[in-house]
Amino acid sequence: MDNRTPIIELIGLGKIYNNKNSSVRALEDINLSIYEGEIFGIIGLSGAGKSTLVRCINYLERPTEGKVIFNGIDLSKVSEKELLKIRQSMSMIFQQFNLLMQRTALQNICFPLEIAGVPKKEARKRAYELLEVVGLKDKAKAYPAQLSGGQKQRVAIARALATNPKVLLCDEATSALDPTTTRSILNLLKEINQKLGITVIVITHEMSVIEEICSRVAIVDKSQIAEIGTVEEVFMKPKSKIAKQLVFSGANHIEIFEGKDKLRIIFDGRTSFEPVIANMVLECKTPVNILFADTKDIYGKAYGQMVIQLPDDESGKKRIYAYLETHKIPFEEVI
Ligand SMILES: Nc1ncnc2c1ncn2[C@@H]1O[C@H](COP(=O)(O)OP(=O)(O)OP(=O)(O)O)[C@@H](O)[C@H]1O
């Protein structure tokens, strides 16, 4: 059991959308604790219920079952007015940035402060400070149309920070960005988490985003939580089928791996992957087929995974198992 106090607690949370002729269950019995200061990931395929979940967390959407406890407050028990105030403590950023196109970057950041009744001069001062935090000091007077996707998301982040939130909810915040810009935005979120102590909740369909910045992750599948754990645990030993799909970065791969005699080798930064495979083949005197590789070389260290086909002969197989065990290289059989 974790003895930290959760900043957000979801207890038996459920959501059914009732329309005229039909009802859709979007969430079922979600139980989850998110702790102050962590970067928590929520991942799932399209339609799994992620957006509904994040909108229930800040009560933009009212759950039909269960409770959301934010900072010790049961959100079902507070008035609309109090909810508005609480939502200032749970800012949100989106895939499409949602900036006001007729306002400059500075005016966009001032917007939530104006709504909160902050005097204009004070709001501008705070907005300039926030532009500096997100590295856009020179873009104060630029309109959203004059900014790149990454810059727009930086303005959106600055605007989200304007009300001094405790939690930042990021709904597919990097899904519209290229890989390099994605990394720079994720680094900014990490920096905000570390320097300002803001709890960050990242909703995504990409495992790479989770691996990059989250400490823990919940996998949502068909309206329910399929798996929850530290990113390391889920990455190293995914238990559910959906976790395996996501870790193998796509549903297409999993069928290829089903069958006998396949191993997933995990590169956790302690090894350099080229020598591992090359040395294993040389030392075990047996060739292996690499069926899938998704590895990154970061400063000479290997991160990621590789699926190999074991040789047919039993003694070759044994030598490979022994090699991996002796060298303390994490692996699991692919079932
Ligand atoms: N307002 C609504 N009315 C009826 N059904 C809805 C509504 N919003 C979402 N749903 C349904 O609820 C389910 C979960 O949707 P949700 O948008 O939460 O999933 P998601 O995981 O965020 O998907 P995506 O990644 O594609 O945005 C889906 O079946 C969806 O069709």
Side-chain angles (χ1 to χ4, degrees):
M1 273 305 279
D2 205 313
N3 48 20
R4 292 175 291 173
T5 319
I7 187 153
I8 290 169
E9 227 179 329
L10 309 179
I11 304 166
L13 196 79
K15 174 74 187 176
I16 299 173
Y17 289 107
N18 284 309
N19 296 328
K20 248 187 188 167
N21 303 316
S22 63
S23 70
V24 178
R25 174 168 278 290
L27 294 175
E28 186 174 3
D29 196 25
I30 305 283
N31 294 288
L32 190 62
S33 292
I34 298 171
Y35 300 102
E36 195 157 2
E38 74 173 328
I39 306 188
F40 190 88
I42 295 172
I43 189 169
L45 302 176
S46 180
K50 307 180 294 294
S51 292
T52 304
L53 180 55
V54 72
R55 290 167 63 81
C56 281
I57 290 178
N58 65 6
Y59 253 59
L60 278 175
E61 203 70 73
R62 252 177 202 271
T64 39
E65 295 144 10
K67 283 183 190 172
V68 177
I69 314 283
F70 171 68
N71 223 9
I73 304 166
D74 179 346
L75 298 191
S76 70
K77 301 254 157 66
V78 304
S79 67
E80 276 301 319
K81 202 173 157 201
E82 283 167 308
L83 258 185
L84 284 176
K85 200 143 182 57
I86 286 168
R87 274 196 211 108
Q88 291 179 359
S89 300
M90 280 199 267
S91 293
M92 205 167 168
I93 58 169
F94 308 86
Q95 179 172 357
Q96 295 306 334
F97 324 121
N98 295 11
L99 296 178
L100 298 164
M101 301 305 279
Q102 309 303 327
R103 285 178 161 238
T104 63
L106 190 83
Q107 289 164 342
N108 263 284
I109 302 167
C110 285
F111 189 64
L113 295 168
E114 286 165 20
I115 290 177
V118 175
K120 208 168 172 182
K121 205 171 154 196
E122 206 177 304
R124 281 172 69 85
K125 186 172 170 272
R126 173 101 181 107
Y128 271 115
E129 284 165 11
L130 288 166
L131 273 171
E132 195 155 0
V133 170
V134 299
L136 285 184
K137 218 173 134 193
D138 55 333
K139 297 287 181 193
K141 295 197 168 68
Y143 286 89
Q146 299 167 315
L147 299 172
S148 69
Q151 289 168 336
K152 280 184 210 154
Q153 196 58 291
R154 282 172 188 267
V155 174
I157 291 170
R159 182 181 60 181
L161 296 180
T163 50
N164 283 322
K166 284 186 179 300
V167 175
L168 182 60
L169 299 165
C170 312
D171 192 0
E172 298 280 4
T174 55
S175 299
L177 306 174
D178 64 56
T180 310
T181 315
T182 292
R183 186 157 294 155
S184 79
I185 293 295
L186 294 178
N187 281 338
L188 176 62
L189 292 176
K190 214 188 276 180
E191 218 177 285
I192 286 166
N193 166 262
Q194 284 166 357
K195 288 194 183 149
L196 308 178
I198 294 174
T199 307
V200 178
I201 302 177
V202 175
I203 288 93
T204 181
H205 63 278
E206 292 172 298
M207 195 63 187
S208 57
V209 169
I210 302 283
E211 284 164 38
E212 191 90 27
I213 59 164
C214 297
S215 49
R216 288 194 308 137
V217 62
I219 301 180
V220 182
D221 186 36
K222 300 189 190 90
S223 320
Q224 293 179 319
I225 292 186
E227 202 162 323
I228 184 164
T230 65
V231 172
E232 210 175 15
E233 276 163 10
V234 172
F235 183 81
M236 299 265 206
K237 284 211 177 299
K239 292 187 208 85
S240 57
K241 186 162 184 182
I242 180 71
K244 286 180 187 173
Q245 276 184 15
L246 290 162
V247 167
F248 288 131
S249 42
N252 299 340
H253 298 301
I254 193 93
E255 272 73 31
I256 306 170
F257 303 145
E258 279 174 0
K260 276 172 62 192
D261 297 338
K262 296 177 181 78
L263 282 190
R264 187 165 79 102
I265 299 176
I266 297 139
F267 298 96
D268 58 1
R270 281 177 297 171
T271 46
S272 167
F273 73 89
E274 279 182 54
V276 166
I277 299 298
N279 292 345
M280 184 175 77
V281 168
L282 285 172
E283 205 170 295
C284 300
K285 296 192 176 54
T286 183
V288 293
N289 264 336
I290 297 172
L291 300 175
F292 172 80
D294 177 16
T295 53
K296 283 180 271 206
D297 191 330
I298 303 173
Y299 299 117
K301 297 282 178 199
Y303 291 87
Q305 56 187 323
M306 207 176 260
V307 177
I308 60 164
Q309 171 109 52
L310 291 170
D312 285 338
D313 68 300
E314 286 305 316
S315 62
K317 263 181 225 165
K318 277 188 190 147
R319 289 198 297 277
I320 286 181
Y321 276 101
Y323 180 90
L324 293 170
E325 273 158 10
T326 317
H327 291 81
K328 296 194 170 44
I329 297 163
F331 68 94
E332 62 165 0
E333 286 168 4
V334 178
I335 303 162

